[in-house]
Amino acid sequence: MADEGWQQQRGGAVVNEYTYPILLGITAGTGIRLLLLRTDYRQYPTYLHGKIIHLSLGLIAAALGTLAVPSIMEKEFTAVTFLTLAASQFREVRNMERNTLSELDSYELVPRGNTYIEGIAVAFESRNYLVIFTSFVVTFAYLAFNVWVALGCVVAAIITSKLLMHGATLKEIVTIENSPLYFEGAGLYIDQIYIMNIGLPERQKEILEYGMGFVLTPKNFNVRSTIANLGQRQAILHDVSVSLGVYRDSGTPALVPLIKRDLSDGRIGVFLLPQDNDIQRAIDVIGAVPVLENAIRMPSEKDNSK
Amino acid sequence: MKIEKAILAAITTHKDEVGGGVPVFFCKETAQMEFIAANLEAILDGIAHRLSDTLYIIVKH
């Protein structure tokens, strides 16, 4: 008798009205997470175990988003409270990313900087919310309409995620020009922007031989404060060093890529020491540096008309 | 303790140019001054800055 009851229960649980919607919701959510887990020249998150962590968390997020729908339909409204649990769980993701990257940062020849790390951590957290949202919508569409509407929602979710997760890059907000480095006495300059004092003649020779200079001119007033942000500048130096290599070692503080600002017009002078002295490539890489959301300022939003 | 922005040493060919509490290296000629500055830069992990033709300082940044 007990066996029969178990059989019945089991038979009921294997395929019921919610099974396929839940499966589709979880698959769609995890798929979105996989899609957003890109690896590019910045070499993050290529770390293999990091990938597994994020896929697993994506799966959990997808399950949470999906299961909320049947819970509501079964009038189990309190079940939605576990979404708050999810929120605290994914804040943990942000902490985890921040801690890992900060630990690694102290051993980089050209560090990422805290602003960049914070931006990456926030992106990781928000991607999990996108997964929850996708799974929720897809499952809901399946249950409320049919599988085709649900599949349509998957496509829409992919497109919105791509749009939402694609931030601006530097080439959209500044013009990038190559400009020669030169010394005036001991001072190193790029297009009249003072970079640093290099005393030793042999260091000066090295810098003129290996160094490259670029001037980034802001396209409008808002951009001035964005590129003045020290975190944004460090992000530029880090990304370029990752892509083009860097001519320095520990214990050579004089050979350090630097960015200084022209106070009068907001241009910044980028002094680089790449191992690959390809000017066009350097311009491309600088142009592809993400505009950090923490560095964006909108002074022009202040209403000036009185 | 991490030292930031400190003058670690001064190297000069003019005795009158420096004084005070910083370690000072007196040199006879410019070539020797540059040699000592380059070595101290490597040893102290600082940057050799030139303040004038006869005076270098090593600064920890």
Side-chain angles (χ1 to χ4, degrees):
Chain A
M1 282 293 276
D3 196 41
E4 206 172 294
W6 179 77
Q7 283 288 347
Q8 264 179 359
Q9 268 189 347
R10 188 169 163 267
V14 169
V15 177
N16 65 16
E17 59 193 305
Y18 296 128
T19 309
Y20 291 120
I22 286 177
L23 276 180
L24 183 69
I26 293 181
T27 318
T30 317
I32 288 269
R33 188 69 194 90
L34 193 62
L35 198 74
L36 293 174
L37 201 61
R38 289 176 311 171
T39 296
D40 58 12
Y41 63 92
R42 284 178 285 262
Q43 281 296 304
Y44 196 82
T46 7
Y47 314 127
L48 193 57
H49 291 88
K51 252 184 186 170
I52 292 170
I53 290 171
H54 289 297
L55 276 183
S56 322
L57 284 167
L59 184 73
I60 294 171
L64 286 169
T66 303
L67 294 179
V69 181
S71 314
I72 294 172
M73 291 192 162
E74 293 292 331
K75 299 203 171 66
E76 296 280 351
F77 297 117
T78 45
V80 178
T81 49
F82 66 56
L83 286 180
T84 54
L85 197 86
S88 62
Q89 170 72 22
F90 296 127
R91 256 201 309 281
E92 235 6 78
V93 173
R94 186 192 321 186
N95 279 334
M96 179 186 78
E97 282 309 320
R98 182 195 295 127
N99 293 342
T100 314
L101 289 174
S102 314
E103 288 292 320
L104 296 174
D105 215 29
S106 52
Y107 291 103
E108 298 271 359
L109 281 178
V110 180
R112 279 193 176 86
N114 285 339
T115 316
Y116 201 177
I117 289 178
E118 206 55 40
I120 295 174
V122 169
F124 271 105
E125 185 184 355
S126 63
R127 280 171 193 189
N128 279 305
Y129 295 131
L130 273 181
V131 169
I132 293 188
F133 186 66
T134 307
S135 298
F136 184 89
V137 171
V138 168
T139 315
F140 182 76
Y142 197 139
L143 286 169
F145 304 101
N146 57 39
V147 63
W148 301 111
V149 179
L151 288 176
C153 286
V154 174
V155 176
I158 291 174
I159 296 169
T160 21
S161 308
K162 281 275 171 200
L163 284 180
L164 280 178
M165 281 288 129
H166 182 78
T169 51
L170 268 188
K171 63 175 170 294
E172 292 159 30
I173 62 168
V174 294
T175 49
I176 305 160
E177 280 160 16
N178 179 241
S179 184
L181 301 166
Y182 61 93
F183 281 97
E184 269 181 35
L188 172 63
Y189 287 83
I190 302 172
D191 199 13
Q192 290 167 18
I193 303 171
Y194 176 75
I195 304 293
M196 71 192 296
N197 179 309
I198 299 284
L200 298 169
E202 47 197 294
R203 283 268 177 279
Q204 295 194 349
K205 224 182 287 166
E206 254 175 348
I207 281 174
L208 290 179
E209 190 180 341
Y210 293 100
M212 280 193 329
F214 294 91
V215 173
L216 273 51
T217 316
K219 285 185 182 166
N220 63 51
F221 190 76
N222 287 340
V223 173
R224 277 192 192 192
S225 350
T226 304
I227 58 171
N229 183 293
L230 293 175
Q232 179 66 58
R233 297 195 217 170
Q234 192 60 39
I236 298 174
L237 294 176
H238 176 81
D239 271 9
V240 176
S241 309
V242 166
S243 303
L244 300 178
V246 60
Y247 183 80
R248 82 172 299 225
D249 195 5
S250 61
T252 55
L255 296 174
V256 60
L258 271 181
I259 297 185
K260 292 286 175 188
R261 187 176 183 217
D262 187 330
L263 293 178
S264 59
D265 58 9
R267 292 178 309 151
I268 55 172
V270 184
F271 161 57
L272 300 172
L273 285 157
Q275 255 159 355
D276 176 3
N277 281 46
D278 184 337
I279 291 175
Q280 191 50 46
R281 216 175 139 205
I283 291 181
D284 290 345
V285 173
I286 295 175
V289 172
V291 180
L292 302 182
E293 54 184 28
N294 303 318
I296 296 173
R297 299 285 180 277
M298 292 286 179
S300 67
E301 293 287 301
K302 169 94 176 73
D303 188 10
N304 285 326
S305 55
K306 284 183 181 167
Chain B
M1 192 186 76
K2 205 175 166 206
I3 299 174
E4 273 180 53
K5 302 271 183 217
I7 300 180
L8 301 177
I11 307 105
T12 182
T13 50
H14 263 238
K15 280 194 179 187
D16 313 338
E17 281 196 70
V18 264
V22 70
V24 185
F25 295 78
F26 298 117
C27 303
K28 291 199 179 71
E29 48 181 25
T30 313
Q32 190 195 4
M33 180 171 68
E34 281 172 6
F35 177 75
I36 290 184
N39 268 326
L40 282 177
E41 181 184 75
I43 294 165
L44 297 171
D45 265 10
I47 300 181
H49 293 297
R50 187 164 71 211
L51 294 187
S52 71
D53 286 342
T54 54
L55 175 62
Y56 277 87
I57 54 170
I58 309 287
V59 179
K60 180 89 179 174
H61 284 278

